[in-house]
Amino acid sequence: MVVRELPRPTATPPRVVVGADGSEWSAGAIGYAFAQASERLVPLTVVHVSPPSDIDGTRLALRRAGSDLLALSQREQALAAEEIAGWSEKYPDVTVYRHVLSGHPVKALVDHSEGAELLVVGSRGRSRLAGMLLGSVSQGVLQHAHCPVAVVRAGAAS
């Protein structure tokens, strides 16, 4: 956990924010965020961000096939719902708000960190070297977030 700056008072109610992208390493971050929101008695905002040119090429493939981008949006909404389903059952006391966005993950997470008590992001941490280095999203968020940031390694359980 890094406390670069304490949360600034805002009109936004206190909350915990977690970045999610459907990857295996965001699962641990989501679990940790649920636990923190439950402990702090605040809602959880899940920010599911997919880059405009997503890595697996799904957007590009759908555009080439002439598929409706609405189908892609619905797929990402469903993925975001699946990511939190089990955690919502484990922590029924936590009110969850989902935001499914397309854009740069760092910008979206930093924007959502305004007024938050805590921002949680995942990290791959697959090897010793990877464990010492953080990914670009983690680094960007640590440098620019408006609240404390927790970086949760893959495989972490809450």
PDB file of all heavy atoms in Angstrom, residues 59-89:
ATOM      1  N   ARG A  59     -12.104  -5.885 -30.189  1.00  0.00           N
ATOM      2  CA  ARG A  59     -12.719  -4.694 -30.803  1.00  0.00           C
ATOM      3  C   ARG A  59     -12.417  -4.634 -32.291  1.00  0.00           C
ATOM      4  O   ARG A  59     -13.297  -4.385 -33.100  1.00  0.00           O
ATOM      5  CB  ARG A  59     -12.209  -3.421 -30.137  1.00  0.00           C
ATOM      6  CG  ARG A  59     -12.832  -3.131 -28.834  1.00  0.00           C
ATOM      7  CD  ARG A  59     -12.300  -1.793 -28.312  1.00  0.00           C
ATOM      8  NE  ARG A  59     -12.614  -1.681 -26.926  1.00  0.00           N
ATOM      9  CZ  ARG A  59     -13.798  -1.338 -26.456  1.00  0.00           C
ATOM     10  NH1 ARG A  59     -14.771  -1.066 -27.284  1.00  0.00           N
ATOM     11  NH2 ARG A  59     -14.029  -1.285 -25.181  1.00  0.00           N
ATOM     12  N   LEU A  60     -11.156  -4.833 -32.628  1.00  0.00           N
ATOM     13  CA  LEU A  60     -10.756  -4.765 -34.031  1.00  0.00           C
ATOM     14  C   LEU A  60     -11.469  -5.844 -34.842  1.00  0.00           C
ATOM     15  O   LEU A  60     -11.975  -5.584 -35.930  1.00  0.00           O
ATOM     16  CB  LEU A  60      -9.236  -4.918 -34.142  1.00  0.00           C
ATOM     17  CG  LEU A  60      -8.636  -4.763 -35.534  1.00  0.00           C
ATOM     18  CD1 LEU A  60      -8.987  -3.394 -36.107  1.00  0.00           C
ATOM     19  CD2 LEU A  60      -7.141  -4.940 -35.476  1.00  0.00           C
ATOM     20  N   ALA A  61     -11.550  -7.055 -34.318  1.00  0.00           N
ATOM     21  CA  ALA A  61     -12.214  -8.149 -35.022  1.00  0.00           C
ATOM     22  C   ALA A  61     -13.693  -7.846 -35.229  1.00  0.00           C
ATOM     23  O   ALA A  61     -14.249  -8.096 -36.301  1.00  0.00           O
ATOM     24  CB  ALA A  61     -12.044  -9.457 -34.256  1.00  0.00           C
ATOM     25  N   LEU A  62     -14.342  -7.297 -34.204  1.00  0.00           N
ATOM     26  CA  LEU A  62     -15.764  -6.965 -34.330  1.00  0.00           C
ATOM     27  C   LEU A  62     -15.984  -5.862 -35.362  1.00  0.00           C
ATOM     28  O   LEU A  62     -16.926  -5.918 -36.142  1.00  0.00           O
ATOM     29  CB  LEU A  62     -16.348  -6.543 -32.981  1.00  0.00           C
ATOM     30  CG  LEU A  62     -16.622  -7.676 -32.004  1.00  0.00           C
ATOM     31  CD1 LEU A  62     -17.033  -7.111 -30.654  1.00  0.00           C
ATOM     32  CD2 LEU A  62     -17.700  -8.603 -32.532  1.00  0.00           C
ATOM     33  N   ARG A  63     -15.109  -4.875 -35.372  1.00  0.00           N
ATOM     34  CA  ARG A  63     -15.244  -3.791 -36.353  1.00  0.00           C
ATOM     35  C   ARG A  63     -15.054  -4.329 -37.770  1.00  0.00           C
ATOM     36  O   ARG A  63     -15.778  -3.971 -38.679  1.00  0.00           O
ATOM     37  CB  ARG A  63     -14.234  -2.686 -36.061  1.00  0.00           C
ATOM     38  CG  ARG A  63     -14.645  -1.840 -34.899  1.00  0.00           C
ATOM     39  CD  ARG A  63     -13.743  -0.644 -34.741  1.00  0.00           C
ATOM     40  NE  ARG A  63     -14.112   0.073 -33.540  1.00  0.00           N
ATOM     41  CZ  ARG A  63     -13.256   0.546 -32.661  1.00  0.00           C
ATOM     42  NH1 ARG A  63     -11.972   0.394 -32.848  1.00  0.00           N
ATOM     43  NH2 ARG A  63     -13.673   1.179 -31.603  1.00  0.00           N
ATOM     44  N   ARG A  64     -14.051  -5.191 -37.943  1.00  0.00           N
ATOM     45  CA  ARG A  64     -13.794  -5.758 -39.272  1.00  0.00           C
ATOM     46  C   ARG A  64     -14.964  -6.607 -39.743  1.00  0.00           C
ATOM     47  O   ARG A  64     -15.286  -6.637 -40.914  1.00  0.00           O
ATOM     48  CB  ARG A  64     -12.527  -6.613 -39.240  1.00  0.00           C
ATOM     49  CG  ARG A  64     -11.272  -5.794 -39.234  1.00  0.00           C
ATOM     50  CD  ARG A  64     -10.058  -6.681 -39.344  1.00  0.00           C
ATOM     51  NE  ARG A  64      -8.856  -5.882 -39.261  1.00  0.00           N
ATOM     52  CZ  ARG A  64      -7.707  -6.316 -38.796  1.00  0.00           C
ATOM     53  NH1 ARG A  64      -7.573  -7.548 -38.383  1.00  0.00           N
ATOM     54  NH2 ARG A  64      -6.665  -5.522 -38.757  1.00  0.00           N
ATOM     55  N   ALA A  65     -15.598  -7.310 -38.801  1.00  0.00           N
ATOM     56  CA  ALA A  65     -16.723  -8.170 -39.152  1.00  0.00           C
ATOM     57  C   ALA A  65     -18.011  -7.371 -39.300  1.00  0.00           C
ATOM     58  O   ALA A  65     -19.041  -7.921 -39.645  1.00  0.00           O
ATOM     59  CB  ALA A  65     -16.898  -9.253 -38.096  1.00  0.00           C
ATOM     60  N   GLY A  66     -17.935  -6.069 -39.022  1.00  0.00           N
ATOM     61  CA  GLY A  66     -19.124  -5.240 -39.122  1.00  0.00           C
ATOM     62  C   GLY A  66     -20.091  -5.451 -37.966  1.00  0.00           C
ATOM     63  O   GLY A  66     -21.245  -5.063 -38.041  1.00  0.00           O
ATOM     64  N   SER A  67     -19.620  -6.073 -36.915  1.00  0.00           N
ATOM     65  CA  SER A  67     -20.483  -6.330 -35.767  1.00  0.00           C
ATOM     66  C   SER A  67     -20.814  -5.032 -35.061  1.00  0.00           C
ATOM     67  O   SER A  67     -20.053  -4.077 -35.073  1.00  0.00           O
ATOM     68  CB  SER A  67     -19.795  -7.271 -34.782  1.00  0.00           C
ATOM     69  OG  SER A  67     -19.619  -8.522 -35.376  1.00  0.00           O
ATOM     70  N   ASP A  68     -21.913  -5.037 -34.412  1.00  0.00           N
ATOM     71  CA  ASP A  68     -22.388  -3.895 -33.662  1.00  0.00           C
ATOM     72  C   ASP A  68     -21.537  -3.716 -32.418  1.00  0.00           C
ATOM     73  O   ASP A  68     -21.307  -4.671 -31.677  1.00  0.00           O
ATOM     74  CB  ASP A  68     -23.848  -4.150 -33.291  1.00  0.00           C
ATOM     75  CG  ASP A  68     -24.524  -2.923 -32.752  1.00  0.00           C
ATOM     76  OD1 ASP A  68     -23.860  -2.104 -32.095  1.00  0.00           O
ATOM     77  OD2 ASP A  68     -25.735  -2.798 -33.001  1.00  0.00           O
ATOM     78  N   LEU A  69     -21.075  -2.498 -32.180  1.00  0.00           N
ATOM     79  CA  LEU A  69     -20.289  -2.241 -30.982  1.00  0.00           C
ATOM     80  C   LEU A  69     -21.147  -2.381 -29.729  1.00  0.00           C
ATOM     81  O   LEU A  69     -20.627  -2.564 -28.633  1.00  0.00           O
ATOM     82  CB  LEU A  69     -19.644  -0.859 -31.039  1.00  0.00           C
ATOM     83  CG  LEU A  69     -18.497  -0.734 -32.043  1.00  0.00           C
ATOM     84  CD1 LEU A  69     -17.939   0.683 -32.037  1.00  0.00           C
ATOM     85  CD2 LEU A  69     -17.402  -1.736 -31.733  1.00  0.00           C
ATOM     86  N   LEU A  70     -22.471  -2.338 -29.894  1.00  0.00           N
ATOM     87  CA  LEU A  70     -23.359  -2.576 -28.766  1.00  0.00           C
ATOM     88  C   LEU A  70     -23.150  -3.986 -28.222  1.00  0.00           C
ATOM     89  O   LEU A  70     -23.155  -4.198 -27.006  1.00  0.00           O
ATOM     90  CB  LEU A  70     -24.821  -2.381 -29.186  1.00  0.00           C
ATOM     91  CG  LEU A  70     -25.863  -2.640 -28.110  1.00  0.00           C
ATOM     92  CD1 LEU A  70     -25.660  -1.695 -26.925  1.00  0.00           C
ATOM     93  CD2 LEU A  70     -27.256  -2.472 -28.684  1.00  0.00           C
ATOM     94  N   ALA A  71     -22.905  -4.947 -29.099  1.00  0.00           N
ATOM     95  CA  ALA A  71     -22.652  -6.326 -28.665  1.00  0.00           C
ATOM     96  C   ALA A  71     -21.387  -6.386 -27.821  1.00  0.00           C
ATOM     97  O   ALA A  71     -21.345  -7.089 -26.801  1.00  0.00           O
ATOM     98  CB  ALA A  71     -22.529  -7.249 -29.870  1.00  0.00           C
ATOM     99  N   LEU A  72     -20.374  -5.640 -28.219  1.00  0.00           N
ATOM    100  CA  LEU A  72     -19.131  -5.605 -27.451  1.00  0.00           C
ATOM    101  C   LEU A  72     -19.374  -4.967 -26.086  1.00  0.00           C
ATOM    102  O   LEU A  72     -18.917  -5.471 -25.062  1.00  0.00           O
ATOM    103  CB  LEU A  72     -18.046  -4.843 -28.200  1.00  0.00           C
ATOM    104  CG  LEU A  72     -16.714  -4.707 -27.478  1.00  0.00           C
ATOM    105  CD1 LEU A  72     -16.114  -6.066 -27.186  1.00  0.00           C
ATOM    106  CD2 LEU A  72     -15.758  -3.866 -28.292  1.00  0.00           C
ATOM    107  N   SER A  73     -20.115  -3.892 -26.070  1.00  0.00           N
ATOM    108  CA  SER A  73     -20.429  -3.228 -24.812  1.00  0.00           C
ATOM    109  C   SER A  73     -21.194  -4.159 -23.877  1.00  0.00           C
ATOM    110  O   SER A  73     -20.913  -4.227 -22.681  1.00  0.00           O
ATOM    111  CB  SER A  73     -21.255  -1.967 -25.084  1.00  0.00           C
ATOM    112  OG  SER A  73     -21.669  -1.389 -23.880  1.00  0.00           O
ATOM    113  N   GLN A  74     -22.153  -4.897 -24.432  1.00  0.00           N
ATOM    114  CA  GLN A  74     -22.918  -5.842 -23.617  1.00  0.00           C
ATOM    115  C   GLN A  74     -22.022  -6.954 -23.084  1.00  0.00           C
ATOM    116  O   GLN A  74     -22.169  -7.397 -21.948  1.00  0.00           O
ATOM    117  CB  GLN A  74     -24.080  -6.421 -24.426  1.00  0.00           C
ATOM    118  CG  GLN A  74     -25.152  -5.398 -24.709  1.00  0.00           C
ATOM    119  CD  GLN A  74     -26.201  -5.891 -25.680  1.00  0.00           C
ATOM    120  OE1 GLN A  74     -25.954  -6.794 -26.478  1.00  0.00           O
ATOM    121  NE2 GLN A  74     -27.377  -5.284 -25.637  1.00  0.00           N
ATOM    122  N   ARG A  75     -21.070  -7.399 -23.914  1.00  0.00           N
ATOM    123  CA  ARG A  75     -20.125  -8.434 -23.472  1.00  0.00           C
ATOM    124  C   ARG A  75     -19.281  -7.932 -22.303  1.00  0.00           C
ATOM    125  O   ARG A  75     -19.063  -8.632 -21.318  1.00  0.00           O
ATOM    126  CB  ARG A  75     -19.230  -8.837 -24.639  1.00  0.00           C
ATOM    127  CG  ARG A  75     -18.222  -9.907 -24.263  1.00  0.00           C
ATOM    128  CD  ARG A  75     -17.283 -10.229 -25.416  1.00  0.00           C
ATOM    129  NE  ARG A  75     -15.993 -10.503 -24.814  1.00  0.00           N
ATOM    130  CZ  ARG A  75     -14.869  -9.915 -25.145  1.00  0.00           C
ATOM    131  NH1 ARG A  75     -14.826  -9.041 -26.099  1.00  0.00           N
ATOM    132  NH2 ARG A  75     -13.756 -10.212 -24.541  1.00  0.00           N
ATOM    133  N   GLU A  76     -18.830  -6.683 -22.399  1.00  0.00           N
ATOM    134  CA  GLU A  76     -17.998  -6.126 -21.336  1.00  0.00           C
ATOM    135  C   GLU A  76     -18.823  -5.873 -20.072  1.00  0.00           C
ATOM    136  O   GLU A  76     -18.327  -6.053 -18.963  1.00  0.00           O
ATOM    137  CB  GLU A  76     -17.284  -4.874 -21.826  1.00  0.00           C
ATOM    138  CG  GLU A  76     -16.213  -5.241 -22.848  1.00  0.00           C
ATOM    139  CD  GLU A  76     -15.466  -4.051 -23.405  1.00  0.00           C
ATOM    140  OE1 GLU A  76     -15.663  -2.920 -22.928  1.00  0.00           O
ATOM    141  OE2 GLU A  76     -14.672  -4.264 -24.336  1.00  0.00           O
ATOM    142  N   GLN A  77     -20.087  -5.484 -20.224  1.00  0.00           N
ATOM    143  CA  GLN A  77     -20.970  -5.323 -19.063  1.00  0.00           C
ATOM    144  C   GLN A  77     -21.146  -6.669 -18.357  1.00  0.00           C
ATOM    145  O   GLN A  77     -21.098  -6.749 -17.130  1.00  0.00           O
ATOM    146  CB  GLN A  77     -22.343  -4.778 -19.497  1.00  0.00           C
ATOM    147  CG  GLN A  77     -22.332  -3.346 -19.940  1.00  0.00           C
ATOM    148  CD  GLN A  77     -22.299  -2.358 -18.787  1.00  0.00           C
ATOM    149  OE1 GLN A  77     -22.434  -2.710 -17.627  1.00  0.00           O
ATOM    150  NE2 GLN A  77     -22.092  -1.098 -19.119  1.00  0.00           N
ATOM    151  N   ALA A  78     -21.345  -7.722 -19.153  1.00  0.00           N
ATOM    152  CA  ALA A  78     -21.522  -9.069 -18.585  1.00  0.00           C
ATOM    153  C   ALA A  78     -20.246  -9.523 -17.877  1.00  0.00           C
ATOM    154  O   ALA A  78     -20.300 -10.108 -16.788  1.00  0.00           O
ATOM    155  CB  ALA A  78     -21.915 -10.062 -19.673  1.00  0.00           C
ATOM    156  N   LEU A  79     -19.093  -9.264 -18.478  1.00  0.00           N
ATOM    157  CA  LEU A  79     -17.813  -9.633 -17.873  1.00  0.00           C
ATOM    158  C   LEU A  79     -17.632  -8.904 -16.543  1.00  0.00           C
ATOM    159  O   LEU A  79     -17.231  -9.509 -15.544  1.00  0.00           O
ATOM    160  CB  LEU A  79     -16.653  -9.303 -18.818  1.00  0.00           C
ATOM    161  CG  LEU A  79     -15.244  -9.575 -18.302  1.00  0.00           C
ATOM    162  CD1 LEU A  79     -15.055 -11.046 -17.986  1.00  0.00           C
ATOM    163  CD2 LEU A  79     -14.218  -9.106 -19.324  1.00  0.00           C
ATOM    164  N   ALA A  80     -17.964  -7.630 -16.514  1.00  0.00           N
ATOM    165  CA  ALA A  80     -17.846  -6.851 -15.282  1.00  0.00           C
ATOM    166  C   ALA A  80     -18.758  -7.413 -14.199  1.00  0.00           C
ATOM    167  O   ALA A  80     -18.375  -7.490 -13.026  1.00  0.00           O
ATOM    168  CB  ALA A  80     -18.163  -5.384 -15.552  1.00  0.00           C
ATOM    169  N   ALA A  81     -19.960  -7.827 -14.576  1.00  0.00           N
ATOM    170  CA  ALA A  81     -20.896  -8.410 -13.604  1.00  0.00           C
ATOM    171  C   ALA A  81     -20.365  -9.740 -13.084  1.00  0.00           C
ATOM    172  O   ALA A  81     -20.454 -10.030 -11.879  1.00  0.00           O
ATOM    173  CB  ALA A  81     -22.270  -8.591 -14.240  1.00  0.00           C
ATOM    174  N   GLU A  82     -19.785 -10.557 -13.966  1.00  0.00           N
ATOM    175  CA  GLU A  82     -19.230 -11.851 -13.559  1.00  0.00           C
ATOM    176  C   GLU A  82     -18.070 -11.687 -12.594  1.00  0.00           C
ATOM    177  O   GLU A  82     -17.899 -12.481 -11.664  1.00  0.00           O
ATOM    178  CB  GLU A  82     -18.749 -12.629 -14.788  1.00  0.00           C
ATOM    179  CG  GLU A  82     -19.853 -13.196 -15.643  1.00  0.00           C
ATOM    180  CD  GLU A  82     -19.313 -13.815 -16.928  1.00  0.00           C
ATOM    181  OE1 GLU A  82     -18.111 -14.171 -16.972  1.00  0.00           O
ATOM    182  OE2 GLU A  82     -20.093 -13.928 -17.883  1.00  0.00           O
ATOM    183  N   GLU A  83     -17.246 -10.651 -12.823  1.00  0.00           N
ATOM    184  CA  GLU A  83     -16.074 -10.423 -11.980  1.00  0.00           C
ATOM    185  C   GLU A  83     -16.439 -10.227 -10.516  1.00  0.00           C
ATOM    186  O   GLU A  83     -15.677 -10.604  -9.633  1.00  0.00           O
ATOM    187  CB  GLU A  83     -15.310  -9.169 -12.445  1.00  0.00           C
ATOM    188  CG  GLU A  83     -14.541  -9.352 -13.715  1.00  0.00           C
ATOM    189  CD  GLU A  83     -13.826  -8.073 -14.102  1.00  0.00           C
ATOM    190  OE1 GLU A  83     -14.474  -7.022 -14.203  1.00  0.00           O
ATOM    191  OE2 GLU A  83     -12.598  -8.146 -14.310  1.00  0.00           O
ATOM    192  N   ILE A  84     -17.590  -9.641 -10.264  1.00  0.00           N
ATOM    193  CA  ILE A  84     -17.941  -9.311  -8.883  1.00  0.00           C
ATOM    194  C   ILE A  84     -19.005 -10.211  -8.288  1.00  0.00           C
ATOM    195  O   ILE A  84     -19.272 -10.133  -7.092  1.00  0.00           O
ATOM    196  CB  ILE A  84     -18.387  -7.839  -8.766  1.00  0.00           C
ATOM    197  CG1 ILE A  84     -19.655  -7.587  -9.572  1.00  0.00           C
ATOM    198  CG2 ILE A  84     -17.268  -6.904  -9.170  1.00  0.00           C
ATOM    199  CD1 ILE A  84     -20.284  -6.254  -9.301  1.00  0.00           C
ATOM    200  N   ALA A  85     -19.608 -11.094  -9.081  1.00  0.00           N
ATOM    201  CA  ALA A  85     -20.749 -11.897  -8.619  1.00  0.00           C
ATOM    202  C   ALA A  85     -20.463 -12.660  -7.325  1.00  0.00           C
ATOM    203  O   ALA A  85     -21.202 -12.545  -6.352  1.00  0.00           O
ATOM    204  CB  ALA A  85     -21.190 -12.857  -9.710  1.00  0.00           C
ATOM    205  N   GLY A  86     -19.433 -13.425  -7.284  1.00  0.00           N
ATOM    206  CA  GLY A  86     -19.121 -14.213  -6.088  1.00  0.00           C
ATOM    207  C   GLY A  86     -18.776 -13.340  -4.894  1.00  0.00           C
ATOM    208  O   GLY A  86     -19.131 -13.661  -3.760  1.00  0.00           O
ATOM    209  N   TRP A  87     -18.098 -12.239  -5.157  1.00  0.00           N
ATOM    210  CA  TRP A  87     -17.711 -11.344  -4.066  1.00  0.00           C
ATOM    211  C   TRP A  87     -18.923 -10.645  -3.473  1.00  0.00           C
ATOM    212  O   TRP A  87     -18.979 -10.417  -2.271  1.00  0.00           O
ATOM    213  CB  TRP A  87     -16.671 -10.327  -4.545  1.00  0.00           C
ATOM    214  CG  TRP A  87     -15.385 -10.975  -4.924  1.00  0.00           C
ATOM    215  CD1 TRP A  87     -14.873 -11.109  -6.185  1.00  0.00           C
ATOM    216  CD2 TRP A  87     -14.456 -11.614  -4.054  1.00  0.00           C
ATOM    217  NE1 TRP A  87     -13.680 -11.784  -6.131  1.00  0.00           N
ATOM    218  CE2 TRP A  87     -13.402 -12.105  -4.841  1.00  0.00           C
ATOM    219  CE3 TRP A  87     -14.420 -11.814  -2.676  1.00  0.00           C
ATOM    220  CZ2 TRP A  87     -12.315 -12.775  -4.298  1.00  0.00           C
ATOM    221  CZ3 TRP A  87     -13.324 -12.494  -2.135  1.00  0.00           C
ATOM    222  CH2 TRP A  87     -12.297 -12.964  -2.949  1.00  0.00           C
ATOM    223  N   SER A  88     -19.892 -10.310  -4.305  1.00  0.00           N
ATOM    224  CA  SER A  88     -21.122  -9.670  -3.809  1.00  0.00           C
ATOM    225  C   SER A  88     -21.864 -10.610  -2.865  1.00  0.00           C
ATOM    226  O   SER A  88     -22.482 -10.166  -1.900  1.00  0.00           O
ATOM    227  CB  SER A  88     -22.031  -9.264  -4.967  1.00  0.00           C
ATOM    228  OG  SER A  88     -21.454  -8.201  -5.691  1.00  0.00           O
ATOM    229  N   GLU A  89     -21.804 -11.913  -3.155  1.00  0.00           N
ATOM    230  CA  GLU A  89     -22.443 -12.895  -2.274  1.00  0.00           C
ATOM    231  C   GLU A  89     -21.681 -13.017  -0.954  1.00  0.00           C
ATOM    232  O   GLU A  89     -22.279 -13.156   0.112  1.00  0.00           O
ATOM    233  CB  GLU A  89     -22.515 -14.244  -2.965  1.00  0.00           C
ATOM    234  CG  GLU A  89     -23.483 -14.268  -4.138  1.00  0.00           C
ATOM    235  CD  GLU A  89     -23.423 -15.561  -4.938  1.00  0.00           C
ATOM    236  OE1 GLU A  89     -22.828 -16.540  -4.462  1.00  0.00           O
ATOM    237  OE2 GLU A  89     -23.963 -15.566  -6.059  1.00  0.00           O
TER     238      GLU A  89
END
